[in-house]
Amino acid sequence: MHNALLAAQLVFQPQVLLVILASAVFGMAVGAIPGLTATMATALLVPITFFMDPIPAIAAIVTATAMAIFSGDIPGALLRIPGTPASAAYTDEAYAMTLKGRGHQALGAGLVFSAIGGLIGTAVLIVGAPALAEVALKFSSFEYFWLVVLGLSAAVFIGSANVVKALIMLILGLLVACVGLDNPAGYPRFTLGNAELMGGISLIPVMVGMFAVSEVLRFCVDTDPPLRMVQGRLSGVFEGIGATARRYKMGILRGSLFGTVIGIQPGAGADMASWLSYAMSKRFSREPEKFGTGHIEGIVESGAANNSALAGAWIPALVFGIPGDSITAIAIGVLYMKGLNPGPSLFLNNPQNIYAIFLVFILANLIMVPLGWAAIRLSANILRVPRNILMPVILVFCVVGSFAINNTVFGVLLMLVFGVAAFLLEENGFPVAPAILGLVLGSMLEETFVTSMIKADGDPLVFFERPISATLGVVTITVLLWPVGSALWRRWRLGRRDGRVPG
């Protein structure tokens, strides 16, 4: 109790509260600009933290990243351009709701359930940090391999309107992930002699191109486009939130806890948590046929997962100094710089600072609701802009965001190439989301598989020898074979009913 009071004194100071507010506004702005990620927001804050005390410095990072993850939903819902990779999983869902005049509900759900997910993740961080971090340390390349395969299996569900086309797009994404030197052998692949391709293909230009540029092209070839982007409103952001929460309470809890668990795994992060939770929501939904048509259920669960993953990533970071994602990798550097060396000694020697960090997480998720509401209301002006003005502006933002990744024109070229490709593929019924999923997880799939096979001396049975790995393997194989098994079971029952199969 004494340490909690000391933590409150550290946090509830005018200077610290002002830092939290300024960082929240900054994070909200960065996340809402396509191409600028939560990681970039964190990196941009690091030079400023040099001049801050330890608690304000960490508060700035925690608050800005939480805001950036949510605000990426805003351009995703209004323009079909995910502001951050964590928003990409349900961008099509939110945009479909906006086209139906329900954009306010999509953004309201994303806001409220992101905050709830963040608070649940923080509760897990407070209660179970040491125990959960110890479990996470038992994960080796074998467990990560199954985790990645489980994530890739989500393509079957997010693109299940046509499974074959979804798998083709997934393979395309995996092939794109193979480009460059970033592979276990360090061998240049598919570089075509181009030095720019040595470093691989960046996710942001591809994502911006496939979601945004394709939408601009679709407008350009439309011979009779509407004068305005959509007919809708963004007032009543919290309309029906209580009923939605009651209806999908299990999805909220499942997404929050699952996102926290994914966040704990080093290298996984909010992006993977968002994709997996969206797929899980569709898998266990009573109305899976509505997904992709503007159904709020996937937004609820996936939105809760990506913010809870942020808190989960801090568990191994604080307890063992192992970053859960790129954001906590930067945060660990700030902790060391401020003399708060991560590890068990931090909990013993400076418990008031740990409690202060927990308190900052709570404040960040609480302040997200009013600031997010204000950001959504301000963004309503986008709906009143004629499309022939809006689309060139969107293209300019896409160019700026793609250029900013590596400060090269090559990023812009990638954006345009993948934008044209996505437009042609979507016109022929190929979904974009599985390709993005393959690009996100492709390099991790190869790295974990090759590392595991080297450890096992080529014996694939080793993937089932460790308890956690065996459990994940069985779950993953079950998920992969479930559609085939279900189809065979239905055929058998139909044949038995018609008398073609003996009973």
Side-chain angles (χ1 to χ4, degrees):
M1 188 65 183
H2 176 65
N3 290 325
L5 290 174
L6 289 176
Q9 292 175 7
L10 288 172
V11 173
F12 290 105
Q13 296 182 19
Q15 177 194 357
V16 179
L17 294 176
L18 184 61
V19 167
I20 291 175
L21 181 61
S23 301
V25 173
F26 170 74
M28 197 74 72
V30 171
I33 299 174
L36 303 185
T37 64
T39 304
M40 185 177 293
T42 306
L44 291 172
L45 281 174
V46 170
I48 301 173
T49 61
F50 292 163
F51 308 100
M52 295 182 184
D53 292 332
I55 298 305
I58 297 301
I61 291 174
V62 170
T63 308
T65 52
M67 300 299 157
I69 291 293
F70 156 69
S71 63
D73 295 357
I74 296 175
L78 301 185
L79 307 173
R80 198 174 174 255
I81 312 173
T84 62
S87 304
Y90 48 90
T91 288
D92 283 339
E93 201 77 69
Y95 185 65
M97 289 185 68
T98 303
L99 293 177
K100 293 179 178 180
R102 296 170 55 209
H104 61 293
Q105 292 180 331
L107 288 171
L111 171 61
V112 172
F113 299 117
S114 287
I116 291 175
L119 289 171
I120 293 175
T122 302
V124 175
L125 171 65
I126 294 170
V127 174
L132 289 173
E134 189 173 344
V135 172
L137 284 180
K138 295 180 180 178
F139 271 61
S140 67
S141 58
F142 301 103
E143 286 78 14
Y144 281 120
F145 171 76
W146 287 122
L147 197 62
V148 172
V149 175
L150 183 63
L152 291 172
S153 67
V156 176
F157 300 113
I158 61 180
S160 60
N162 190 316
V163 174
V164 174
K165 289 184 176 180
L167 290 176
I168 290 172
M169 292 298 287
L170 176 64
I171 292 170
L172 178 64
L174 291 172
L175 285 173
V176 172
C178 290
V179 175
L181 287 164
D182 190 16
N183 57 77
Y187 184 80
R189 296 183 303 197
F190 307 117
T191 59
L192 306 176
N194 189 323
E196 295 277 6
L197 288 173
M198 290 289 187
I201 293 180
S202 299
L203 171 64
I204 300 300
V206 174
M207 187 181 72
V208 169
M210 296 189 85
F211 279 109
V213 175
S214 63
E215 197 65 29
V216 173
L217 290 174
R218 194 167 291 109
F219 165 75
C220 292
V221 300
D222 191 347
T223 56
D224 187 24
L227 293 177
R228 299 185 185 278
M229 195 189 96
V230 291
Q231 298 299 320
R233 61 190 177 90
L234 290 184
S235 57
V237 170
F238 303 118
E239 178 185 318
I241 286 294
T244 302
R246 287 190 296 273
R247 184 175 182 182
Y248 301 119
K249 54 183 179 294
M250 287 305 299
I252 298 167
L253 183 62
R254 184 171 58 223
S256 300
L257 295 178
F258 186 71
T260 306
V261 171
I262 293 296
I264 294 170
Q265 314 308 322
D271 307 353
M272 188 172 179
S274 182
W275 284 102
L276 285 173
S277 291
Y278 182 80
M280 185 183 295
S281 178
K282 185 173 183 179
R283 175 67 187 83
F284 292 105
S285 174
R286 296 177 182 177
E287 305 170 308
E289 71 281 354
K290 292 186 178 180
F291 278 68
T293 64
H295 188 48
I296 202 170
E297 186 175 358
I299 298 173
V300 168
E301 188 162 339
S302 194
N306 57 24
N307 261 61
S308 64
L310 293 179
W314 278 78
I315 293 175
L318 289 175
V319 179
F320 297 102
I322 298 173
D325 57 10
S326 54
I327 293 169
T328 47
I330 297 171
I332 285 174
V334 175
L335 286 170
Y336 276 112
M337 183 177 65
K338 298 299 180 182
L340 300 177
N341 296 359
S345 60
L346 182 60
F347 287 78
L348 296 174
N349 301 331
N350 297 287
Q352 70 277 6
N353 290 329
I354 290 294
Y355 280 104
I357 293 173
F358 294 160
L359 189 55
V360 165
F361 266 98
I362 295 172
L363 289 177
N365 285 286
L366 290 177
I367 200 175
M368 182 192 299
V369 176
L371 283 180
W373 173 82
I376 292 170
R377 292 303 303 272
L378 287 172
S379 65
N381 296 319
I382 295 175
L383 298 180
R384 293 191 285 269
V385 179
R387 289 189 74 186
N388 55 357
I389 296 175
L390 183 64
M391 288 301 172
V393 174
I394 290 174
L395 191 59
V396 170
F397 271 106
C398 293
V399 170
V400 171
S402 299
F403 180 84
I405 299 302
N406 294 311
N407 292 323
T408 64
V409 179
F410 186 70
V412 180
L413 181 62
L414 283 178
M415 176 200 74
L416 294 174
V417 169
F418 280 93
V420 172
F423 168 73
L424 296 174
L425 288 165
E426 282 190 303
E427 288 297 301
N428 290 280
F430 289 86
V432 167
I436 300 295
L437 181 63
L439 182 56
V440 169
L441 299 179
S443 59
M444 188 184 293
L445 174 71
E446 181 182 21
E447 182 181 340
T448 53
F449 178 74
V450 172
T451 303
S452 299
M453 292 302 286
I454 292 173
K455 290 179 183 176
D457 199 21
D459 181 11
L461 295 178
V462 178
F463 283 94
F464 295 93
E465 288 184 358
R466 296 163 59 91
I468 300 177
S469 178
T471 303
L472 285 172
V474 171
V475 170
T476 303
I477 292 172
T478 302
V479 169
L480 288 172
L481 296 181
W482 187 267
V484 177
S486 298
L488 292 175
W489 173 254
R490 285 194 299 269
R491 182 177 296 181
W492 179 81
R493 290 194 63 182
L494 184 62
R496 184 179 178 184
R497 188 182 64 186
D498 296 341
R500 294 194 303 269
V501 178

